[in-house]
Each structure stands twice: as structure tokens, then as C-alpha cells.
Amino acid sequence: MKHPPSLLALIRELSRLPGIGPKSAQRLAFHLFEQPREDIERLASALLEAKRDLHTCPVCFNITDAEKCGVCSDPSRDQNVIAVVEEPGDVIAIERSGEYRGLYHVLHGVLSPMNGVGPDKLHIKPLLPRIQEGMEVILATGTTVEGDATSLYLQRLLEPLGATVSRIAYGLPVGGALEYADEVTLGRALMGRQQVSKPKTP
């Protein structure tokens, strides 16, 4: 059975999205076909507006629709701390925690020589002029092999600049039981333990 060319074109375009295979793309295509025309027009309009209005912040490379992103243009943010993250979505995740008030720098990827991604393919070079002596740089890349390699590479670049370099803590999730943790996660949680009290001196 031959599908209509317009349906095949839609499936093909949807399958180009990250994490969407041919079968998922086909399900999405049929789902979109069943939606009211006004919903599809609203979706298409939102996509076009986002492509037209959004760009990367010239300072931190987060996504914004203004001259600079909301974080970089906020004078109340701590100017002495920069969190280096892989993707713009990581900024959203950290902001959602409500525990961080510093600045960001978005790499837009991680080092991956196997995939042809070297330092020149990431926004590493623009990070260096932002670093001043005495600042803290939090390496908040993922805990994948590529994330760890990127973190180590950045650490070697940043330490000579006089910055304090720290790595985001990782380990057990909140509410997680030790018996269900894998060996690597549990080992990292132990290595990243924090002191909660000191012995009292007589």
C-alpha cells in the first residue's frame, strides 16, 4: 500500500527530530492528522515564530529573544559564579531548582571525538574571557563519558586562569534507597559526601 506523498514527507521530517524513530514519527503524523486544523496552524505558527525570534545570547549562548538573555541582563545575579552546562535545557533544569543565582555558559554539546566533536565545535573559547581571578566555575556537564571528558578538559583550561573550579555533585537521588543504586552511582555518592558536623573540642 502506498501512502500519500504529503504523509510520507511529514513522517520523514518528523523522524529527523532527536529521539524520534520512523515508527514514532508515523504515530505523530497520524496524531497530527487527527487534530483540528486550528491546532495544527497554531503549532506551525509557534514553530515559525520561534525560528524567527529566538537566537543565542552573545554572552552565555543560552536561547533568548532579547539582545541578551534574562540571566545575563539581571544585575542581581551573582557575577562571580558561572555554571557551565551542555545544553539550554540544562539552564531550565537548574533554574527550576531555585538553588542557584549565578551566571551560565552553554556549550551546546560535549566533546566526542568519535562523532567528530572537538573543542572548536563547542562554545569553549568565548568562555575564557569571562573568567576572572577569584571567580568560581561550576562544571555542570552530565555524568556520561563525554560529559566527564568535557569537564576534565575545561578544568585544565580554567585552573591557570585563577578560577576556583568545582564539579557538580552527583550520586543518589532524593528518596532513593541504597539497595537499588548501582555501583558507580553509589561510589560517586560516597566520594562526593559532605561533612555535616565536626567533633566538639573540649
Side-chain angles (χ1 to χ4, degrees), residues 71 77-78 80-85 91 94-105 136-138:
V71 173
R77 304 289 296 212
D78 188 344
N80 293 311
V81 185
I82 297 179
V84 180
V85 299
V91 174
I94 294 175
E95 285 295 288
R96 204 162 45 226
S97 75
E99 297 294 329
Y100 180 71
R101 291 294 302 165
L103 305 176
Y104 293 96
H105 191 87
E136 180 184 6
V137 180
I138 303 172

PDB file of all heavy atoms in Angstrom, residues 71 77-78 80-85 91 94-105 136-138:
ATOM      1  N   VAL A  71      19.144  36.034  32.262  1.00  0.00           N
ATOM      2  CA  VAL A  71      20.141  35.854  33.325  1.00  0.00           C
ATOM      3  C   VAL A  71      21.272  36.851  33.167  1.00  0.00           C
ATOM      4  O   VAL A  71      21.672  37.533  34.118  1.00  0.00           O
ATOM      5  CB  VAL A  71      20.678  34.413  33.338  1.00  0.00           C
ATOM      6  CG1 VAL A  71      21.831  34.268  34.326  1.00  0.00           C
ATOM      7  CG2 VAL A  71      19.566  33.423  33.682  1.00  0.00           C
ATOM      8  N   ARG A  77      22.023  38.864  39.741  1.00  0.00           N
ATOM      9  CA  ARG A  77      22.676  37.558  39.713  1.00  0.00           C
ATOM     10  C   ARG A  77      24.107  37.684  40.215  1.00  0.00           C
ATOM     11  O   ARG A  77      24.754  38.721  40.049  1.00  0.00           O
ATOM     12  CB  ARG A  77      22.682  36.980  38.296  1.00  0.00           C
ATOM     13  CG  ARG A  77      21.348  36.855  37.619  1.00  0.00           C
ATOM     14  CD  ARG A  77      20.456  35.794  38.182  1.00  0.00           C
ATOM     15  NE  ARG A  77      20.938  34.443  38.062  1.00  0.00           N
ATOM     16  CZ  ARG A  77      20.158  33.366  37.903  1.00  0.00           C
ATOM     17  NH1 ARG A  77      18.838  33.515  37.815  1.00  0.00           N
ATOM     18  NH2 ARG A  77      20.654  32.161  37.843  1.00  0.00           N
ATOM     19  N   ASP A  78      24.597  36.620  40.841  1.00  0.00           N
ATOM     20  CA  ASP A  78      25.973  36.596  41.349  1.00  0.00           C
ATOM     21  C   ASP A  78      26.936  36.563  40.167  1.00  0.00           C
ATOM     22  O   ASP A  78      27.015  35.568  39.439  1.00  0.00           O
ATOM     23  CB  ASP A  78      26.170  35.362  42.241  1.00  0.00           C
ATOM     24  CG  ASP A  78      27.508  35.374  42.972  1.00  0.00           C
ATOM     25  OD1 ASP A  78      28.408  36.152  42.576  1.00  0.00           O
ATOM     26  OD2 ASP A  78      27.655  34.601  43.938  1.00  0.00           O
ATOM     27  N   ASN A  80      30.094  36.420  40.184  1.00  0.00           N
ATOM     28  CA  ASN A  80      31.351  35.731  40.475  1.00  0.00           C
ATOM     29  C   ASN A  80      31.257  34.214  40.351  1.00  0.00           C
ATOM     30  O   ASN A  80      32.201  33.510  40.693  1.00  0.00           O
ATOM     31  CB  ASN A  80      31.834  36.088  41.891  1.00  0.00           C
ATOM     32  CG  ASN A  80      32.237  37.547  41.993  1.00  0.00           C
ATOM     33  OD1 ASN A  80      32.984  38.045  41.155  1.00  0.00           O
ATOM     34  ND2 ASN A  80      31.735  38.236  43.002  1.00  0.00           N
ATOM     35  N   VAL A  81      30.117  33.726  39.870  1.00  0.00           N
ATOM     36  CA  VAL A  81      29.934  32.283  39.705  1.00  0.00           C
ATOM     37  C   VAL A  81      29.342  32.012  38.325  1.00  0.00           C
ATOM     38  O   VAL A  81      28.374  32.645  37.928  1.00  0.00           O
ATOM     39  CB  VAL A  81      28.985  31.691  40.784  1.00  0.00           C
ATOM     40  CG1 VAL A  81      28.922  30.175  40.645  1.00  0.00           C
ATOM     41  CG2 VAL A  81      29.429  32.086  42.167  1.00  0.00           C
ATOM     42  N   ILE A  82      29.947  31.090  37.601  1.00  0.00           N
ATOM     43  CA  ILE A  82      29.440  30.675  36.296  1.00  0.00           C
ATOM     44  C   ILE A  82      29.274  29.161  36.288  1.00  0.00           C
ATOM     45  O   ILE A  82      30.215  28.432  36.605  1.00  0.00           O
ATOM     46  CB  ILE A  82      30.386  31.090  35.152  1.00  0.00           C
ATOM     47  CG1 ILE A  82      30.499  32.612  35.062  1.00  0.00           C
ATOM     48  CG2 ILE A  82      29.898  30.517  33.817  1.00  0.00           C
ATOM     49  CD1 ILE A  82      31.446  33.093  33.971  1.00  0.00           C
ATOM     50  N   ALA A  83      28.083  28.695  35.941  1.00  0.00           N
ATOM     51  CA  ALA A  83      27.837  27.265  35.768  1.00  0.00           C
ATOM     52  C   ALA A  83      27.935  26.942  34.279  1.00  0.00           C
ATOM     53  O   ALA A  83      27.233  27.542  33.463  1.00  0.00           O
ATOM     54  CB  ALA A  83      26.458  26.882  36.304  1.00  0.00           C
ATOM     55  N   VAL A  84      28.803  26.005  33.946  1.00  0.00           N
ATOM     56  CA  VAL A  84      28.977  25.593  32.556  1.00  0.00           C
ATOM     57  C   VAL A  84      28.120  24.356  32.310  1.00  0.00           C
ATOM     58  O   VAL A  84      28.285  23.338  32.993  1.00  0.00           O
ATOM     59  CB  VAL A  84      30.454  25.285  32.240  1.00  0.00           C
ATOM     60  CG1 VAL A  84      30.610  24.868  30.787  1.00  0.00           C
ATOM     61  CG2 VAL A  84      31.322  26.498  32.539  1.00  0.00           C
ATOM     62  N   VAL A  85      27.202  24.445  31.361  1.00  0.00           N
ATOM     63  CA  VAL A  85      26.274  23.352  31.084  1.00  0.00           C
ATOM     64  C   VAL A  85      26.369  22.950  29.614  1.00  0.00           C
ATOM     65  O   VAL A  85      26.933  23.665  28.789  1.00  0.00           O
ATOM     66  CB  VAL A  85      24.817  23.738  31.434  1.00  0.00           C
ATOM     67  CG1 VAL A  85      24.683  24.065  32.912  1.00  0.00           C
ATOM     68  CG2 VAL A  85      24.352  24.922  30.584  1.00  0.00           C
ATOM     69  N   VAL A  91      19.955  24.730  31.619  1.00  0.00           N
ATOM     70  CA  VAL A  91      19.714  26.001  32.320  1.00  0.00           C
ATOM     71  C   VAL A  91      18.318  25.986  32.937  1.00  0.00           C
ATOM     72  O   VAL A  91      18.128  26.367  34.098  1.00  0.00           O
ATOM     73  CB  VAL A  91      19.875  27.195  31.366  1.00  0.00           C
ATOM     74  CG1 VAL A  91      19.488  28.497  32.066  1.00  0.00           C
ATOM     75  CG2 VAL A  91      21.301  27.278  30.850  1.00  0.00           C
ATOM     76  N   ILE A  94      18.272  23.709  36.048  1.00  0.00           N
ATOM     77  CA  ILE A  94      18.931  24.286  37.227  1.00  0.00           C
ATOM     78  C   ILE A  94      18.099  25.432  37.790  1.00  0.00           C
ATOM     79  O   ILE A  94      17.944  25.562  39.014  1.00  0.00           O
ATOM     80  CB  ILE A  94      20.355  24.756  36.872  1.00  0.00           C
ATOM     81  CG1 ILE A  94      21.231  23.555  36.519  1.00  0.00           C
ATOM     82  CG2 ILE A  94      20.976  25.531  38.045  1.00  0.00           C
ATOM     83  CD1 ILE A  94      22.624  23.915  36.046  1.00  0.00           C
ATOM     84  N   GLU A  95      17.549  26.261  36.922  1.00  0.00           N
ATOM     85  CA  GLU A  95      16.717  27.373  37.381  1.00  0.00           C
ATOM     86  C   GLU A  95      15.491  26.869  38.133  1.00  0.00           C
ATOM     87  O   GLU A  95      15.047  27.476  39.098  1.00  0.00           O
ATOM     88  CB  GLU A  95      16.289  28.231  36.194  1.00  0.00           C
ATOM     89  CG  GLU A  95      17.390  29.110  35.632  1.00  0.00           C
ATOM     90  CD  GLU A  95      17.844  30.171  36.617  1.00  0.00           C
ATOM     91  OE1 GLU A  95      17.093  31.125  36.865  1.00  0.00           O
ATOM     92  OE2 GLU A  95      18.962  30.025  37.165  1.00  0.00           O
ATOM     93  N   ARG A  96      14.976  25.741  37.690  1.00  0.00           N
ATOM     94  CA  ARG A  96      13.793  25.167  38.332  1.00  0.00           C
ATOM     95  C   ARG A  96      14.084  24.745  39.768  1.00  0.00           C
ATOM     96  O   ARG A  96      13.192  24.715  40.602  1.00  0.00           O
ATOM     97  CB  ARG A  96      13.296  23.977  37.514  1.00  0.00           C
ATOM     98  CG  ARG A  96      11.833  23.654  37.695  1.00  0.00           C
ATOM     99  CD  ARG A  96      11.290  22.796  36.580  1.00  0.00           C
ATOM    100  NE  ARG A  96      12.171  21.695  36.239  1.00  0.00           N
ATOM    101  CZ  ARG A  96      12.503  21.352  34.997  1.00  0.00           C
ATOM    102  NH1 ARG A  96      12.033  22.024  33.979  1.00  0.00           N
ATOM    103  NH2 ARG A  96      13.296  20.331  34.766  1.00  0.00           N
ATOM    104  N   SER A  97      15.345  24.421  40.058  1.00  0.00           N
ATOM    105  CA  SER A  97      15.699  24.008  41.416  1.00  0.00           C
ATOM    106  C   SER A  97      15.596  25.161  42.407  1.00  0.00           C
ATOM    107  O   SER A  97      15.392  24.952  43.606  1.00  0.00           O
ATOM    108  CB  SER A  97      17.128  23.445  41.446  1.00  0.00           C
ATOM    109  OG  SER A  97      18.085  24.493  41.351  1.00  0.00           O
ATOM    110  N   GLY A  98      15.766  26.408  41.920  1.00  0.00           N
ATOM    111  CA  GLY A  98      15.699  27.579  42.787  1.00  0.00           C
ATOM    112  C   GLY A  98      16.882  27.734  43.722  1.00  0.00           C
ATOM    113  O   GLY A  98      16.863  28.576  44.623  1.00  0.00           O
ATOM    114  N   GLU A  99      17.938  26.938  43.506  1.00  0.00           N
ATOM    115  CA  GLU A  99      19.082  26.948  44.413  1.00  0.00           C
ATOM    116  C   GLU A  99      20.306  27.667  43.856  1.00  0.00           C
ATOM    117  O   GLU A  99      21.334  27.728  44.507  1.00  0.00           O
ATOM    118  CB  GLU A  99      19.483  25.499  44.763  1.00  0.00           C
ATOM    119  CG  GLU A  99      18.414  24.711  45.499  1.00  0.00           C
ATOM    120  CD  GLU A  99      18.146  25.264  46.882  1.00  0.00           C
ATOM    121  OE1 GLU A  99      19.084  25.800  47.499  1.00  0.00           O
ATOM    122  OE2 GLU A  99      16.994  25.179  47.348  1.00  0.00           O
ATOM    123  N   TYR A 100      20.197  28.205  42.654  1.00  0.00           N
ATOM    124  CA  TYR A 100      21.373  28.802  42.014  1.00  0.00           C
ATOM    125  C   TYR A 100      21.051  30.212  41.555  1.00  0.00           C
ATOM    126  O   TYR A 100      20.020  30.450  40.920  1.00  0.00           O
ATOM    127  CB  TYR A 100      21.797  27.944  40.820  1.00  0.00           C
ATOM    128  CG  TYR A 100      23.011  28.467  40.087  1.00  0.00           C
ATOM    129  CD1 TYR A 100      24.274  28.402  40.658  1.00  0.00           C
ATOM    130  CD2 TYR A 100      22.887  29.025  38.817  1.00  0.00           C
ATOM    131  CE1 TYR A 100      25.385  28.882  39.980  1.00  0.00           C
ATOM    132  CE2 TYR A 100      23.986  29.508  38.137  1.00  0.00           C
ATOM    133  CZ  TYR A 100      25.237  29.436  38.725  1.00  0.00           C
ATOM    134  OH  TYR A 100      26.337  29.919  38.064  1.00  0.00           O
ATOM    135  N   ARG A 101      21.945  31.160  41.864  1.00  0.00           N
ATOM    136  CA  ARG A 101      21.730  32.560  41.498  1.00  0.00           C
ATOM    137  C   ARG A 101      22.905  33.145  40.724  1.00  0.00           C
ATOM    138  O   ARG A 101      23.057  34.355  40.617  1.00  0.00           O
ATOM    139  CB  ARG A 101      21.495  33.401  42.772  1.00  0.00           C
ATOM    140  CG  ARG A 101      20.183  33.107  43.471  1.00  0.00           C
ATOM    141  CD  ARG A 101      18.990  33.508  42.632  1.00  0.00           C
ATOM    142  NE  ARG A 101      19.030  34.936  42.282  1.00  0.00           N
ATOM    143  CZ  ARG A 101      18.277  35.489  41.330  1.00  0.00           C
ATOM    144  NH1 ARG A 101      17.461  34.743  40.616  1.00  0.00           N
ATOM    145  NH2 ARG A 101      18.347  36.781  41.089  1.00  0.00           N
ATOM    146  N   GLY A 102      23.752  32.283  40.170  1.00  0.00           N
ATOM    147  CA  GLY A 102      24.891  32.763  39.408  1.00  0.00           C
ATOM    148  C   GLY A 102      24.585  32.874  37.920  1.00  0.00           C
ATOM    149  O   GLY A 102      23.432  32.911  37.494  1.00  0.00           O
ATOM    150  N   LEU A 103      25.641  32.913  37.119  1.00  0.00           N
ATOM    151  CA  LEU A 103      25.539  33.027  35.672  1.00  0.00           C
ATOM    152  C   LEU A 103      25.692  31.651  35.025  1.00  0.00           C
ATOM    153  O   LEU A 103      25.971  30.666  35.702  1.00  0.00           O
ATOM    154  CB  LEU A 103      26.610  33.985  35.148  1.00  0.00           C
ATOM    155  CG  LEU A 103      26.628  35.388  35.772  1.00  0.00           C
ATOM    156  CD1 LEU A 103      27.805  36.194  35.230  1.00  0.00           C
ATOM    157  CD2 LEU A 103      25.310  36.115  35.510  1.00  0.00           C
ATOM    158  N   TYR A 104      25.549  31.618  33.706  1.00  0.00           N
ATOM    159  CA  TYR A 104      25.670  30.366  32.961  1.00  0.00           C
ATOM    160  C   TYR A 104      26.577  30.536  31.754  1.00  0.00           C
ATOM    161  O   TYR A 104      26.824  31.642  31.291  1.00  0.00           O
ATOM    162  CB  TYR A 104      24.297  29.894  32.460  1.00  0.00           C
ATOM    163  CG  TYR A 104      23.333  29.485  33.538  1.00  0.00           C
ATOM    164  CD1 TYR A 104      22.385  30.386  34.021  1.00  0.00           C
ATOM    165  CD2 TYR A 104      23.353  28.201  34.072  1.00  0.00           C
ATOM    166  CE1 TYR A 104      21.491  30.022  35.004  1.00  0.00           C
ATOM    167  CE2 TYR A 104      22.460  27.826  35.061  1.00  0.00           C
ATOM    168  CZ  TYR A 104      21.533  28.739  35.522  1.00  0.00           C
ATOM    169  OH  TYR A 104      20.644  28.376  36.508  1.00  0.00           O
ATOM    170  N   HIS A 105      27.042  29.398  31.259  1.00  0.00           N
ATOM    171  CA  HIS A 105      27.691  29.352  29.953  1.00  0.00           C
ATOM    172  C   HIS A 105      27.285  28.030  29.306  1.00  0.00           C
ATOM    173  O   HIS A 105      27.535  26.965  29.873  1.00  0.00           O
ATOM    174  CB  HIS A 105      29.215  29.447  30.056  1.00  0.00           C
ATOM    175  CG  HIS A 105      29.873  29.661  28.730  1.00  0.00           C
ATOM    176  ND1 HIS A 105      30.065  30.912  28.195  1.00  0.00           N
ATOM    177  CD2 HIS A 105      30.349  28.781  27.806  1.00  0.00           C
ATOM    178  CE1 HIS A 105      30.645  30.804  27.003  1.00  0.00           C
ATOM    179  NE2 HIS A 105      30.814  29.515  26.747  1.00  0.00           N
ATOM    180  N   GLU A 136      34.295  31.523  40.706  1.00  0.00           N
ATOM    181  CA  GLU A 136      34.065  30.081  40.768  1.00  0.00           C
ATOM    182  C   GLU A 136      33.385  29.643  39.487  1.00  0.00           C
ATOM    183  O   GLU A 136      32.421  30.253  39.040  1.00  0.00           O
ATOM    184  CB  GLU A 136      33.194  29.681  41.959  1.00  0.00           C
ATOM    185  CG  GLU A 136      32.951  28.165  42.016  1.00  0.00           C
ATOM    186  CD  GLU A 136      32.011  27.727  43.123  1.00  0.00           C
ATOM    187  OE1 GLU A 136      31.437  28.613  43.792  1.00  0.00           O
ATOM    188  OE2 GLU A 136      31.836  26.515  43.300  1.00  0.00           O
ATOM    189  N   VAL A 137      33.898  28.574  38.910  1.00  0.00           N
ATOM    190  CA  VAL A 137      33.277  27.975  37.729  1.00  0.00           C
ATOM    191  C   VAL A 137      32.781  26.589  38.122  1.00  0.00           C
ATOM    192  O   VAL A 137      33.556  25.739  38.555  1.00  0.00           O
ATOM    193  CB  VAL A 137      34.265  27.869  36.554  1.00  0.00           C
ATOM    194  CG1 VAL A 137      33.578  27.238  35.341  1.00  0.00           C
ATOM    195  CG2 VAL A 137      34.809  29.238  36.190  1.00  0.00           C
ATOM    196  N   ILE A 138      31.477  26.378  37.993  1.00  0.00           N
ATOM    197  CA  ILE A 138      30.872  25.087  38.319  1.00  0.00           C
ATOM    198  C   ILE A 138      30.718  24.303  37.020  1.00  0.00           C
ATOM    199  O   ILE A 138      30.001  24.727  36.114  1.00  0.00           O
ATOM    200  CB  ILE A 138      29.495  25.261  38.986  1.00  0.00           C
ATOM    201  CG1 ILE A 138      29.616  26.111  40.243  1.00  0.00           C
ATOM    202  CG2 ILE A 138      28.887  23.901  39.312  1.00  0.00           C
ATOM    203  CD1 ILE A 138      28.279  26.482  40.856  1.00  0.00           C
TER     204      ILE A 138
END
